[in-house]
Amino acid sequence: MLTMPSLGAYADLRAAKKRLLAWTTMACVLTTALLALTPSFDGMTKVWVAMALIVLSNTFYSYGESLCASFLPELARPEAMGRVSGWGWAWGYIGGMLVLGICLAYVLWAQSRGLRADHFVPVTLLITAVLYGAAACVTFALLKERAQPQAQALSGAAAGATRWRGCARPGRTRASTPTSAGCWPAPWPTRAAWPWRSRWRPSMPSR
């Protein structure tokens, strides 16, 4: 939430969405694969390393998810954005279930051979990282960077930061979140209310 507006502003400023998506995807694949090494550590070191890698992998995944969404206006007409977005989510869930099925099949095979969890769980993490990276290669092969550098991106990021500060003023509810129309009080900040989401996903429903 704190870093994505700046990352989005940089991507718009440099027309570097595809390049940033490549870097964040590689970082997500790497940190996910490194989780397979956590059993080699001892004691609490194992826990801290695993926690750090989980946080990093999820952070890079979130970056990639938002960067993918930023291509939606370039790939679909305004009236078709919801449908194309739905296709993207559907294929994403199909891919996730496919990886889950492959990992489950391996776990059942490993258990039938009497292997312990500290053997087959790291392998499932490697399977996940490899398949995620392989699927991303299709995106990088087909997706083109159509955006042009936008000098006004920095002013847009500054305006978004100002809205966040305004929503945090005394007298506002602590759960108020900024939108294009001002601050929207909610029980908790929802992803649909994030300022960059309204710019990149104009018709995407929140999960």
Side-chain angles (χ1 to χ4, degrees), residues 27-106:
C28 180
V29 170
L30 177 62
T31 50
T32 301
L34 287 175
L35 278 166
L37 301 179
T38 53
S40 62
F41 294 93
D42 297 323
M44 286 301 296
T45 303
K46 178 190 306 183
V47 176
W48 288 111
V49 170
M51 288 175 60
L53 289 172
I54 288 172
V55 169
L56 287 173
S57 61
N58 277 277
T59 298
F60 290 125
Y61 175 80
S62 297
Y63 286 160
E65 186 181 32
S66 295
L67 288 167
C68 280
S70 71
F71 286 94
L72 185 58
E74 303 171 11
L75 301 175
R77 295 186 299 273
E79 65 274 13
M81 282 188 181
R83 183 168 63 253
V84 174
S85 172
W87 291 343
W89 281 107
W91 282 109
Y93 279 114
I94 290 172
M97 289 187 290
L98 176 63
V99 173
L100 178 61
I102 293 173
C103 289
L104 178 60
Y106 174 75

Side-chain angles (χ1 to χ4, degrees), residues 145-179:
E145 180 70 81
R146 297 177 176 86
Q148 298 298 320
Q150 300 179 26
Q152 69 272 24
L154 292 179
S155 61
T162 301
R163 289 202 301 272
W164 274 107
R165 288 196 296 270
C167 290
R169 290 200 309 266
R172 299 272 189 195
T173 59
R174 65 180 180 84
S176 293
T177 52
T179 67

